[in-house]
Amino acid sequence: MTTHYDAGNSRPPARVEFTGNARQLSGVPPQTFPLPPRSVPHQASTSSISTFFTTRDTFGPPAPKRQKTHDGYAYTTSPINSDIKLENLSNLFPDNPLSKVGVVTRSTQTASNKITSATTPLSVPPSPIRPHSSPLRKPGATRLPLGTSVNKEVQTKPYALEITKNAPQYEDLTSTDFFPWLGTHQEDILGEISVKNGFYDRTPATPQECNSGARSTIWTNLKHKSGLQILSSLFVSVLDRRQTSGMVTAKCTFKPPPRVTLTDAKRESWLRDLASPTIPLRRLSRTIPHGIRGKSLLDHCLAKNIPVWRAVWLAKCVGANEIRAFKRKGTSGAFATGGESKWIREWTTNVEQFVEATVRSCGSPEWQLDVTYGLQLVKHIYSEHLLNKEHFLDWTITSFHNSDLNLLPSWFLVLQGHFDDITRQIPLGRRLVKAMLEQLYKISNVNIGELGNSISIELSIALRSLVLSNPSYFLMPDSWAKYESVLKACNERSDIRWTSRIKQIEVRNFRLIKNSGEALRHSGKNDRQRFIDLLDTSEAASDIRLLSRKSLDTLEDRALLVYTLLEWSTTPYRDGLPRIYIALRLLRLWNQTRLDLDSSVLQFLGQASRAAGVDRKVIYRLIAEMIRTGLFSVGKYLQWLIAGGLCVSCNEHAHAKSSDAFELELLNNIPLCDLPSHVLNLRRILMTDNRVPCLNDFDDEEAVKQSLGIQISILKNDCIQCQKGNMVTDLANLSGTIKYSISRWIRDRIGDECSGIKGTGSETLDDDFPRAPISLADFYALRDVLETLEDFPMLADVLILLSTSAQKPLLEAIAETVNHHIEVFRALGAAEDLFRRLLSRTQGIYTRNQSDKSILVSLVDIGENFPKRGAIVLKLMEEIGFCDPKTAVAACSPISDTMADALQSGDSNFLEEVEAMLSGGISLDKQTLHGIFSAISERLRIAWLDDDPLKCKFIELLAQLRSFNNGEFDCLMLVWLQQLVCLGAHPPLVSLISPLVCAGILDLQTFIQHFVSNLNDGVNNIDCYTLSLDIFSLFDRRSAGNDRGRSQRTHKYNKGLKDFLRTNPDTIVILFCRCFKASVADDAAIQDRARTLIMSSFCLRIIQEVVIRYRPAVSSLEQVFITDLGLCNLAHRMLDCLLCSIPSSIWAPAIISQDIRTLLRFANDFNVRLCQLKLNIMLDVPQDHIYDNDTFREECTRILVEEASSTFKSRPGIWLSFLSSLPQPNAEMFHAQCMLTLLATIPKCALKTSTSVTAPPTSVGSIDALLASIAAVEDRLPSMPSIDSIATITRNISQLQSYIQLGDREAGSPNEGVDHFRRVRRRAEQDNLFRWIDVLLRLLTIHQSIIRNTKLPQETLCQFLLSLSHLATTFNLKANSLHSSTVLDAIAFFSDFLSPESRSYCTAVLGDQQLLHDSPLKYLFVSADEEIDWLHTAGPSNTSTSLAQNTTLVPFPFRRWEMVQDATPTIGENDTSLSLAFFGTRKSVL
């Protein structure tokens, strides 16, 4: 049968070039026969050739002719201008057996649905090969040898004709029918009719058949004038009938493919069939096996490599059946919906587990293919909405956030697949940005090689893109301080747009920061306090360059940096000389970078001259050291003094200004060495004009030198003898100028004596020096002089000079001196040099005997201060063991054999016998140890009570005894000391404990911790108070030993005290509180002793250090001070001494309130902790001593609020310290008062009655100060503020929002009776209201902890967010970018606290009000699963009467799980999940 493109139209006649038969194949030229045109079936007469071409040009080429061969295959001839040629069939069908025989074929060619043939015939092919003859060999072919077999492919299937590649094709790329020419086809048989009329598929219709059709009926009507109209109506009616009959009206017959139970083998076979794309899905839909669901379904798809689209088809089929199981008959709608949601959540979890397993398979064989397939499959499931998208995206971000660095690239690949969907929603986008910054923060802190650098670059690129496109995603006030530097490091090049966006993000985060401490950090106003904290922790810094780098990074303002350093080194609220030399070394380093020091120093001196309560002696010392090292110019300072008016003469020095007295005193305390003569003359003129005696400096200096020359033999060579009456003995009261000159003279004299050793001692050391340069007595005298002069740089130089040639006694004294001043020498940078020189000298004189043990022990003590010298210290400790004489004894009897006689001997022989016994023994059992310890300790107790010098000998015996069993000895020592200190009357405890610590037989920290933990805190427990006072007295270093006692290693005791103060401040606070309670004990003696101890200098110094460096000490001490009025008075006296202020002893509200105001203004960055403690004591006075406690608290709170509103902006760090430690009652009152003051300033705007907005009674700075104060004190509240306060704030925002919307309508509605000036005024009032809304939003941000609380009704939060959402859509707010950004940021921030139900409610309300379309609110509230519906069904409306509004649109829910292709084995008319009747679907006509 022949098939055409258009049934009813046959092909026009064609000119066919025919080539003949077998005879013509043998060499006869082909003949051409012009064929007559064929008739068309529906035409009455035959058309001519010219008529054909006209028709072809008009309607285009007709359809090709499909013909059939005898074996069922078809071939097609060209209908127009086709030529029949003789070709070699092997070119078309190389595998056809007929290709060996020459046959007649038809060659065709097609292009763009126009099938044409070649116009030029091909040449005649060669004659066919005769039967039984061998074919001709091709040129160049080689003959195979005999016996060689040729491998030929054996045909196993019957021959089937294949369509050639160049066959004609239709528009849909299907080939036309064609038939090989065999000479037997009907068309190939030439007859008279076929030659004259052409070949037709069917017999042409006769005239009778043509007249009997519709032609006769229609033709008659077409002759009339209305024929065209009739024909048009006819066609319309036909098309209408066709459309009506072609509509799909059948009911939807869709059913999910059923599942059947199959064996494991059949199930595997079915899965393999599913993996083959050649097997249709309709065939597989009949037998979907049970048991394939959840994660196993995805695992099967991955293992079988099922095509992704077929795997999704299987997931839909399984899911549709699972979901329909919840909707079976008899199940309620709510249960079915809940079951469906639960199943989708479980399926989403299964998909997440599959993704996680796929990601963790990285590194296994073929993991790249598995990961690629798995991600593609999950991406298709996600895009088909076959899971809970919000949960899946949230899980993806969480997994990326928690991923380790090894799997981070894989998780980032997973994240990139859903990047666009995540960034469409602000909540998810913010979580994404936070996760990326966290991973980038981890990478920046860990070096993970090239892979880490690659992923770091990718993260930086993504973050840069998000910063420029979605800056709202970087709203993270809680973690902005952590990620700020990481985000700024992502910008590799200077981009102005990037910089501006980062600044905007920083400002927006700053508005949302809750804690005022973090706000201060971001504002840069607390860098000075952080620099001070850095200096407080680095007093004994060994790496001064590291400290310098940290300081420069902490405080960028270089002038403020130098000024703060000068203040810290001279403030009276820090103790110790090391800070002066640390500051000096830092200034020396900064001076090398050309930092301007003179301006900062002059400014500091100008402020210090007018300041009260400064330590001027420390300032003088610092300036003198700067002049020595060349960091400060005396000439510039004198010029500055002259420019300031110091040259004006005063009649009397007593009438000079205090600032002038300070400056003149400074001139009298500077070193004059190496100063030029003109500077010395100018100094002398200034001091003489101001009546300051300076001419006697030379005489006083000479008198001091003569006095020292008499006392010290090494200094009397060039000194003139003087009378004893003229001797100067009070070196401490000399002026600084004379002190520096004397110390310089001493250093030069020692240098002259140490021949061969210059000032720095950097030359080669001489171990064979013939004599000691100085005697031991002279060394002690020189050391005392330099320590009295407090010139430690010169003392370090003297020690360096003497250490190169000293013998053992002098070397040991030098080592003890270094140990005693180790902190000062470390600050100077000379300690390590001294240790190196002492170690080198010791190696030259070391003999490994007992006399060397003391110097080795001293070197160990020095080396322990340098962690880098740990190996040397271990070696020295080994050498100490070799110096012990008992190690040289090869064998002897145990000590217990001779112990009885030795312990019963008298005191005269006891020491010698026990020492000999301990020196010779090598073993000691526990019982023997107890006996020896009891004998020695009893004699030591008696010697201690009688102040017998033999106690040192007994302590040495105990040190030898401890070496036998350290653990047992320490237990015995603690028990014995506990019994000893409980004696009724005994000498000071420090006289016993100090030698024990210095001898190394008692650990000071263990001793104090043991006794403090065993104290019983009784109200009138005299023994407890006495023991507390005794233990606290141990911290008095002055009673640890005299100067000559340094050979007993008193430095070890002092070092133990400092270490205990630094590491155990809580124990110090507990011990001090017990001593403080002893001041109100019943015993008058204990009271006096306690008060004396508390007001002593060492106690004040300890309390100052603990309070400043240990923050919890403030609250601990406060709780003790406020328990009694007497304790309060004593605490005020103590704090007034520390603060250098006048104590207030009258407990009257007026006086205390005045003192509070003075104290708040007196506080600075160095004494703020002390002022904080004093303020808390003032505010928390015992209630029994105040007439009206409530009135007193209200008055104090009023003062605090007034001071905070006026000075908080200029002193944020100080106020933060005050407010963060307020007593809880005062904190509550302060918070309430600030809230009332702030809310009272908000204008009361009614919706209809208010016509103007008054200006706020307080300034903008005061409002900011109140907000910051509220934020600072919030954490001190015992309970969260009332929810009513939050409701009040939200009501105010709603009221202001309504008023703004009213004004927006009036201001934006012209020509409605509202004049232009009223609209302008209304807009100005709205701008003012916007500022108040900003204040209220900041107030809510501060109280975000209440909003996080579950007790806050979600209705209140929803109402608040809806009000803000309406406010964000007002015209004026959109025009103001700043306020618009503030409101939107607040919505984004507070919407995180909404529950899912509340978020859905807000989304529904805003959607009904048409506020989500084309609005930023859409990205804030609409989740990933809540899409804007686009498909609706139309239904009748009961409320509308007009025709246009007679229908209502109802969203149509998609059943996405049932959108399955080929769901049924047979094709139905309406078998799709979404009924075709919804769309007016028509049947296709084939």
Side-chain angles (χ1 to χ4, degrees), residues 655-669:
H655 295 87
K657 296 184 296 181
S658 61
S659 60
D660 293 344
F662 170 80
E663 293 155 353
L664 293 173
E665 188 69 22
L666 177 59
L667 290 178
N668 199 31
N669 286 274

Side-chain angles (χ1 to χ4, degrees), residues 99 107 197 234 376 463 468 686 697 706 796 866 880 963 1195 1279 1383 1481:
S99 62
S107 175
N197 300 327
L234 179 62
Q376 289 180 353
L463 287 172
L468 298 177
L686 288 176
D697 289 346
Q706 293 176 8
F866 309 106
I880 292 174
S963 61
E1195 179 66 19
S1279 59
V1383 173
T1481 309

Side-chain angles (χ1 to χ4, degrees), residues 348-630:
T348 304
T349 304
N350 293 329
V351 174
E352 293 167 357
Q353 294 173 355
F354 173 74
V355 173
E356 184 176 2
T358 304
V359 169
R360 293 189 179 278
S361 67
C362 292
S364 60
E366 299 183 355
W367 66 270
Q368 294 180 344
L369 297 177
D370 293 345
V371 170
T372 303
Y373 178 86
L375 296 184
Q376 289 180 353
L377 177 58
V378 173
K379 180 63 178 177
H380 278 76
I381 293 175
Y382 176 86
S383 61
E384 293 281 350
H385 301 272
L386 300 182
L387 44 73
N388 190 331
K389 297 178 69 175
E390 185 175 5
H391 187 277
F392 180 77
L393 294 178
D394 183 80
W395 172 84
T396 303
I397 297 173
T398 303
S399 300
F400 175 78
H401 182 275
N402 299 330
S403 171
D404 55 359
L405 297 180
N406 295 327
L407 296 178
L408 186 60
S410 301
W411 282 113
F412 186 66
L413 186 64
V414 176
L415 198 66
Q416 282 182 321
H418 310 282
F419 207 80
D420 295 337
D421 293 333
I422 293 175
T423 53
R424 289 194 185 102
Q425 307 168 59
I426 291 181
L428 288 178
R430 290 170 58 191
R431 292 198 57 203
L432 169 67
V433 166
K434 188 172 182 180
M436 295 172 68
L437 288 173
E438 175 63 24
Q439 292 295 345
L440 201 59
Y441 178 80
K442 293 180 182 178
I443 294 174
S444 62
N445 295 331
V446 179
N447 185 13
I448 59 174
E450 184 178 356
L451 180 62
N453 295 333
S454 301
I455 191 64
S456 176
I457 293 174
E458 294 295 330
L459 290 174
S460 300
I461 294 173
L463 287 172
R464 285 200 298 268
S465 176
L466 289 175
V467 165
L468 298 177
S469 60
N470 303 95
S472 299
Y473 295 164
F474 293 85
L475 293 178
M476 48 184 73
D478 295 335
S479 54
W480 174 250
K482 178 180 179 181
Y483 301 129
E484 179 183 5
S485 59
V486 178
L487 180 60
K488 290 182 178 179
C490 295
N491 187 21
E492 298 179 352
R493 60 184 185 277
S494 58
D495 189 356
I496 299 178
R497 186 183 177 193
W498 163 273
T499 305
S500 62
R501 284 294 176 89
I502 288 295
K503 290 182 178 178
Q504 293 175 7
I505 292 172
E506 187 174 0
V507 171
R508 293 168 69 178
N509 277 287
F510 175 73
R511 287 199 301 256
L512 296 176
I513 288 178
K514 170 206 167 196
N515 195 334
S516 61
E518 297 179 12
L520 292 175
R521 180 195 177 281
H522 286 276
S523 62
K525 295 180 180 179
N526 202 27
D527 291 341
R528 169 182 160 90
Q529 186 62 45
R530 292 196 295 125
F531 175 54
I532 294 173
D533 295 338
L534 177 63
L535 294 175
D536 286 338
T537 57
S538 306
E539 284 191 4
S542 57
D543 192 349
I544 196 66
R545 296 188 179 274
L546 178 61
L547 178 60
S548 175
R549 287 195 300 268
K550 290 182 178 180
S551 302
L552 294 174
D553 295 339
T554 302
L555 194 57
E556 297 180 357
D557 189 350
R558 297 299 182 245
L560 182 59
L561 179 72
V562 176
Y563 188 87
T564 306
L565 179 63
L566 295 175
E567 278 190 307
W568 173 79
S569 61
T570 58
T571 178
Y573 306 108
R574 300 294 187 272
D575 184 60
L577 290 177
R579 58 194 173 114
I580 299 177
Y581 301 111
I582 289 177
L584 192 66
R585 295 177 67 191
L586 288 175
L587 293 175
R588 189 183 305 165
L589 288 176
W590 297 343
N591 185 55
Q592 297 174 2
T593 62
R594 299 184 182 276
L595 190 64
D596 185 15
L597 299 180
D598 291 337
S599 300
S600 300
V601 173
L602 292 176
Q603 180 186 1
F604 168 72
L605 292 177
Q607 295 291 337
S609 63
R610 295 184 295 269
V614 297
D615 194 347
R616 296 191 174 188
K617 291 184 178 180
V618 180
I619 297 176
Y620 300 155
R621 178 179 295 276
L622 175 64
I623 299 300
E625 296 295 342
M626 292 182 66
I627 294 173
R628 269 184 175 181
T629 55

Side-chain angles (χ1 to χ4, degrees), residues 1079-1092:
S1079 63
V1080 292
D1082 297 336
D1083 193 344
I1086 293 181
Q1087 286 189 17
D1088 295 339
R1089 183 186 175 190
R1091 294 175 184 270
T1092 304

Side-chain angles (χ1 to χ4, degrees), residues 285-358:
S285 63
R286 303 174 183 174
T287 57
I288 298 179
H290 267 295
I292 302 177
R293 62 187 301 273
K295 184 176 179 295
S296 63
L297 185 149
L298 302 174
D299 293 336
H300 280 299
C301 294
L302 177 62
K304 303 297 188 301
N305 197 18
I306 299 175
V308 174
W309 64 276
R310 296 170 75 91
V312 174
W313 176 83
L314 175 61
K316 286 184 177 181
C317 294
V318 174
N321 280 280
E322 295 282 346
I323 292 175
R324 285 212 170 192
F326 294 105
K327 300 179 179 180
R328 61 184 180 270
K329 186 176 181 181
T331 303
S332 62
F335 178 79
T337 304
E340 179 181 355
S341 301
K342 180 180 178 181
W343 185 88
I344 291 177
R345 285 195 300 269
E346 293 178 355
W347 165 252
T348 304
T349 304
N350 293 329
V351 174
E352 293 167 357
Q353 294 173 355
F354 173 74
V355 173
E356 184 176 2
T358 304

Side-chain angles (χ1 to χ4, degrees), residues 1166-1223:
F1166 299 100
N1167 63 3
V1168 62
R1169 297 281 178 81
L1170 297 172
C1171 296
Q1172 175 184 344
L1173 180 59
K1174 185 176 177 64
L1175 176 64
N1176 291 351
I1177 297 174
M1178 289 181 176
L1179 296 177
D1180 215 353
V1181 179
Q1183 299 182 3
D1184 298 337
H1185 303 280
I1186 299 297
Y1187 177 73
D1188 190 352
N1189 192 53
D1190 295 336
T1191 306
F1192 170 72
R1193 292 187 184 275
E1194 291 177 0
E1195 179 66 19
C1196 295
T1197 304
R1198 182 186 62 81
I1199 295 174
L1200 288 175
V1201 173
E1202 291 178 358
E1203 292 293 326
S1205 60
S1206 60
T1207 62
F1208 193 100
K1209 187 175 182 181
S1210 59
R1211 308 168 70 192
I1214 296 174
W1215 273 106
L1216 179 62
S1217 299
F1218 278 135
L1219 298 179
S1220 60
S1221 62
L1222 280 178

